[in-house]
Structure formats: C-alpha cells, structure tokens
Amino acid sequence: NAGVIQTPRHKVTGKGQEATLWCEPISGHSAVFWYRQTIVQGLEFLTYFRNQAPIDDSGMPKERFSAQMPNQSHSTLKIQSTQPQDSAVYLCASSLRGNGNTLYFGEGSRLIVV
Amino acid sequence: LAKTTQPPSMEAYEGQEVNVSCSHTNIATSEYIYWYRQVPHQGPQFIIQGYKDYVVNEVASLFISADRKLSTLSLPWVSLRDAAVYYCIVTDRAGNTGKLIFGLGTTLQVQP
C-alpha cells in the first residue's frame, strides 16, 4: 500500500499565478481531507469529501480556493491568483470509513508564493 | 467539539519514559480521545485512541482519568525518532463532524 500520494512535493509560484495540488488517496478509502499547515496557524482544516461528494468546506477561504474530487482516485486543490499568505504546506489525508477519525496523511505539498 | 490543553513542549533523553498530558475538561460522553504525532516533513500519523481507562498498543499507552477530563500518552523508552509534535484530539467517534481539529500540540525534543 503506497499510502496517500501528494504531488508536487514542492511548488514555487509567482504572486497572481494559479497553483493546483493533487492528492491520490489510499485505495478503498472513502473520504479525502485537505489541511493547510503554517508555523503561525498550525494545522487548519480546509475541506473534505466523502464518496467524492463535498461534505464540509467550512475551512476553505471564500475566495480563490477550490477543491474537487472528480473520481475516487484523486482530489485536487486549486488556488487562483496566489498570494504570499497562501504559502504553506498543504496536507491531504484519506480515511477508510469516512468518519474522519483515523486519518492517513500524505507528506504534503509545500507551496511558496513569491 | 471539546477543547484540549497540552503543554507546549517537553524534553527527554533517549531511553526515558515520556508522559504527555492532555486536559479535556468539557469532553462529552459521546467523545473519544485520539493521539497523533507529526515528525518534520511528514503528515501527522495516528498513534492511539481510547474512551476510558487504559489502552495500549505496540507504540504507546493511553491512560484516561476516571472522570475522562485528563488523558496521558505514555511513550516507553523514547528514541531520537520519537521527537515530534504530539496532538491530542477529542471528537465524536461517530464522526458526525467528519473533520479533526488539531491544536498546537506538544513538541517533544529527545536528546541523545
């Protein structure tokens, strides 16, 4: 089992550019979660899907951020018009039963906006 | 969701037993206690979960007070690879809320 796979591991983008981050959950897991981690804010919940349907996006910034799960094998987090404050490690996790309690995290995608 | 309070940091030497405390004074009867840890450059990793009394697995032990307001994660014989941030999370096991809310955790430093 390869675990949760996130790509790219590192991305540097210019201010105002778009950034797309990909996540491949563990095969057979029914839920996918996105978190953002910074030194100042710690681990922040962004959004999650269960059986590909969006369930809770209460942590997503209202503008510029969007997440999709077009099929059971991958999810994307897109940030439009990136800003320096978007610089963070974006973590994806998957869960077997979709109850969110035992999460398996990927290694994260480090986004740097210059 | 119940809030948790943990010490911000701890230090230990290799070979010592480490006990990380977590206070959750408002824990509800439906809520369970989960511990995760995160080493640098990796995502958090599940360690152990419990509801009451005492739980043990191959990695750690979890002691929960009789009133469930306090739990203690015990790591026997820590090594350098146990240096990490340890998160205590309290949530409804039914997963009605879905997401896990991580606090700032306890940073454990291990000295050789």
Side-chain angles (χ1 to χ4, degrees):
Chain A
N1 195 327
V4 174
I5 299 172
Q6 290 190 247
T7 55
R9 291 293 315 280
H10 303 274
K11 184 176 181 66
V12 180
T13 187
K15 180 180 175 182
Q17 299 297 305
E18 180 178 288
T20 301
L21 309 176
W22 283 269
C23 172
E24 181 181 329
I26 294 173
S27 178
H29 281 195
S30 60
V32 169
F33 299 77
W34 285 97
Y35 286 79
R36 174 171 64 182
Q37 187 169 32
T38 60
I39 292 176
V40 174
Q41 297 294 333
L43 261 167
E44 299 176 280
F45 166 80
L46 294 176
T47 186
Y48 94 95
F49 299 83
R50 185 186 298 150
N51 295 321
Q52 299 173 234
I55 302 298
D56 183 346
D57 66 352
S58 58
M60 290 280 274
K62 299 305 178 190
E63 298 178 351
R64 303 185 295 105
F65 282 65
S66 63
Q68 312 228 339
M69 191 162 184
N71 57 60
Q72 63 184 5
S73 64
H74 88 275
S75 174
T76 59
L77 180 67
K78 182 181 294 185
I79 309 171
Q80 296 178 309
S81 185
T82 54
Q83 303 297 310
Q85 60 265 31
D86 299 331
S87 298
V89 176
Y90 290 84
L91 289 156
C92 176
S94 69
S95 173
L96 179 62
R97 289 186 289 273
N99 63 9
N101 293 338
T102 303
L103 269 57
Y104 296 83
F105 282 83
E107 294 184 313
S109 294
R110 179 175 295 277
L111 175 67
I112 298 173
V113 182
V114 298
Chain B
L1 294 175
K3 291 180 65 175
T4 60
T5 303
Q6 300 176 236
S9 63
M10 299 181 69
E11 289 187 8
Y13 288 97
E14 279 194 293
Q16 284 185 322
E17 178 183 69
V18 171
N19 296 308
V20 187
S21 65
C22 180
S23 172
H24 25 78
T25 55
N26 296 320
I27 188 169
T29 54
S30 62
E31 292 179 319
Y32 283 67
I33 301 151
Y34 298 80
W35 285 83
Y36 282 72
R37 72 177 172 189
Q38 184 177 23
V39 299
H41 310 299
Q42 292 188 22
Q45 181 183 33
F46 171 78
I47 303 173
I48 197 167
Q49 69 182 61
Y51 183 81
K52 65 177 182 179
D53 300 330
Y54 173 75
V55 182
V56 61
N57 63 20
E58 64 277 7
V59 176
S61 301
L62 179 61
F63 300 86
I64 303 167
S65 66
D67 61 6
R68 302 203 324 121
K69 296 180 185 297
L70 179 70
S71 61
T72 302
L73 177 74
S74 181
L75 304 169
W77 301 98
V78 294
S79 67
L80 294 176
R81 64 182 180 184
D82 292 315
V85 179
Y86 288 80
Y87 297 98
C88 167
I89 302 164
V90 170
T91 191
D92 185 341
R93 189 174 187 181
N96 293 327
T97 59
K99 58 184 182 270
L100 292 181
I101 303 299
F102 289 80
L104 296 178
T106 298
T107 300
L108 173 65
Q109 295 182 318
V110 181
Q111 305 293 336

